[in-house]
Amino acid sequence: MNLLLVNYEYPPVGGGAANATQFLGRALIRLGHRVHVLTSGLQGADGTSEEGGMQIHRLPVGRRQPDRARQWEMIKFLLQSRSAAPRLHRDHRFEASIAFFTIPSGPASLRLFRLAGVPYIVSLRGGDVPGHVPGLQLKHLLTRPLRRAVLHRAAAIVANSESLAATSRTADPFPVQVIVSGVDGEVFHPVCDQKERSTTGRLRLLFVGRVHPEKNLGSVVRQLAVLPPQVRDKFELHVVGDGAQRAELVTLAHEFGVDGHIHWLGWQKKSALPGLYRGADALVNPSHYEGMPNVVLEAMASGLPVFASDVPGNRAAVVPDETGVLFPLDQPQVLGGALLRLATDRAWGRSLGQAGRRRAEAEFSWTRAAQSYLELLGSRQAVSSLS
């Protein structure tokens, strides 16, 4: 099949959904399909390029920051992608499309369906689902007619976790199926020899993501601060990512006297991430909300225990006391207790990580996810009959 993936974010721009688009595209390529991606790039980075066997078409929306999009940038992508998708179809004759995020990506797939009968799947990612992310009520109210038009015409609607699917079903009267995200176990894998990881130096905690309030990184800073000094000195926190809250958290760490324990690495190239996971001893993911977090799956595939907030997305990936620890948002001291145990029992952390790797291999595969999307679209002949 010749497929178009639509997402306003794509590496090196964006977060988990951008990575999911890239890895799903690669899996589809491995299965023998042709893949085009319609997306946007940072300011000045537009045009078409070939990356990993995929044709990437970046629209000139003038995006300024890699970690977040302004509203006007998303609106520009919505408008430009609605015009670009039919133009690309005239040249490449797509047989189906997958839109990541109902808004702003879905309208491009909807227009392609209306003009050329190209069926499409909507892949819900979280922020596009009313009720999933606090503070977006007005945005969802204003976009409801367009959102529901996109969902109504979709061949299928997919969520990456049952909790997100349930939230969508409550907000909009359409059936939603679940296809869990995958992880590339060849790219993300444990160190070849466990002895490569130090057993005497500081334990390295890893955070990967946007440094924004919803990621709740401040709770990790506070838990480090309340550890007994002799235990605290056994830890260092490496923060991979950047965002609006970084300056505030740097000040907070200084006030609590733990700034010497935190390394702010900023945004890293995707190629650097596997090594950063392998160099760590545990992942912390304290978010206030999650869909199906890629970073958690990547950490598990890399053999790391995961200490995460007890929210639906994390709950779908982490098995408590088997692959990691889930702590209630109103009980951050549970995270502190996990850190205390890790400091005194490194073998416990390694056993959680090994179980996480086994679970990632057994349950989370991009190839399986790609096959599930293709099954929803049907065979090539079935898709052609709909066109």
Side-chain angles (χ1 to χ4, degrees):
M1 291 178 64
N2 196 15
L3 299 164
L4 176 66
L5 309 187
V6 186
N7 190 344
Y8 76 105
E9 298 186 319
Y10 188 83
V13 170
N19 293 336
T21 305
Q22 183 181 66
F23 281 111
L24 181 65
R26 289 176 178 175
L28 290 166
I29 291 286
R30 289 195 298 270
L31 290 171
H33 301 279
R34 299 185 302 281
V35 176
H36 292 251
V37 178
L38 180 58
T39 186
S40 56
L42 289 174
Q43 199 164 31
D46 56 85
T48 298
S49 61
E50 192 276 335
E51 300 175 21
M54 291 179 281
Q55 294 294 313
I56 313 299
H57 309 276
R58 300 183 192 275
L59 298 175
V61 302
R63 180 160 171 157
R64 297 178 181 177
Q65 295 176 296
D67 61 313
R68 63 187 182 275
R70 292 176 171 83
Q71 289 297 323
W72 65 266
E73 293 169 348
M74 297 172 72
I75 292 171
K76 285 186 70 176
F77 177 81
L78 188 156
L79 296 174
Q80 290 185 22
S81 62
R82 289 183 74 252
S83 299
R87 289 200 306 269
L88 289 173
H89 177 67
R90 285 194 291 270
D91 293 334
H92 303 287
R93 311 307 300 175
F94 302 119
E95 295 164 89
S97 71
I98 301 173
F100 291 78
F101 297 99
T102 314
I103 305 292
S105 304
S109 291
L110 174 60
R111 189 153 193 254
L112 199 54
F113 171 78
R114 285 175 169 169
L115 293 177
V118 178
Y120 65 94
I121 291 175
V122 173
S123 180
L124 305 173
R125 308 310 302 178
D128 55 336
V129 178
H132 182 74
V133 177
L136 298 180
Q137 295 91 334
L138 179 59
K139 174 183 174 181
H140 289 309
L141 180 63
L142 293 174
T143 60
R144 182 167 62 183
L146 180 57
R147 183 183 72 249
R148 290 190 171 181
V150 170
L151 295 174
H152 176 65
R153 293 295 185 179
I157 305 167
V158 168
N160 56 15
S161 69
E162 181 53 48
S163 61
L164 184 61
T167 303
S168 179
R169 295 184 198 113
T170 299
D172 296 309
F174 303 103
V176 182
Q177 304 186 52
V178 176
I179 298 178
V180 297
S181 296
V183 62
D184 191 328
E186 295 183 3
V187 173
F188 298 97
H189 60 81
V191 291
C192 296
D193 185 345
Q194 193 63 52
K195 293 178 182 178
E196 293 179 30
R197 195 170 282 157
S198 172
T199 59
T200 57
R202 278 184 170 181
L203 287 157
R204 183 175 298 176
L205 304 176
L206 185 66
F207 169 91
V208 180
R210 294 179 171 98
V211 185
H212 291 180
E214 66 268 19
K215 293 300 183 180
N216 194 29
L217 184 56
S219 66
V220 182
V221 175
R222 293 182 179 88
Q223 288 306 305
L224 280 174
V226 300
L227 289 173
Q230 66 274 20
V231 176
R232 185 190 316 135
D233 287 341
K234 294 183 178 181
F235 286 101
E236 60 186 28
L237 172 64
H238 286 216
V239 178
V240 176
D242 211 337
Q245 203 186 19
R246 174 170 170 171
E248 175 187 333
L249 293 179
V250 168
T251 300
L252 182 69
H254 179 73
E255 291 174 350
F256 280 124
V258 296
D259 43 342
H261 295 263
I262 302 178
H263 300 268
W264 302 91
L265 305 183
W267 290 109
Q268 298 290 308
K269 293 181 178 179
K270 302 297 181 185
S271 59
L273 285 177
L276 290 168
Y277 284 114
R278 288 193 287 273
D281 294 281
L283 179 86
V284 289
N285 191 52
S287 299
H288 285 293
Y289 48 83
E290 288 284 2
M292 173 62 79
N294 285 354
V295 296
V296 168
L297 301 182
E298 291 165 359
M300 290 167 55
S302 301
L304 294 184
V306 176
F307 301 153
S309 53
D310 190 8
V311 297
N314 288 332
R315 202 179 298 143
V318 179
V319 180
D321 302 319
E322 180 179 325
T323 68
V325 173
L326 293 174
F327 59 91
L329 286 168
D330 61 353
Q331 298 178 42
Q333 66 272 19
V334 175
L335 170 60
L339 297 179
L340 182 62
R341 181 173 179 182
L342 182 63
T344 57
D345 187 359
R346 297 190 182 204
W348 170 70
R350 289 194 293 271
S351 68
L352 294 177
Q354 290 163 0
R357 170 66 183 185
R358 291 193 294 270
R359 176 168 167 76
E361 289 180 308
E363 301 294 332
F364 303 103
S365 160
W366 277 120
T367 298
R368 179 184 297 178
Q371 290 170 333
S372 297
Y373 275 96
L374 293 168
E375 287 170 4
L376 288 179
L377 290 169
S379 68
R380 178 171 183 155
Q381 290 76 17
V383 171
S384 297
S385 69
L386 290 172
S387 300

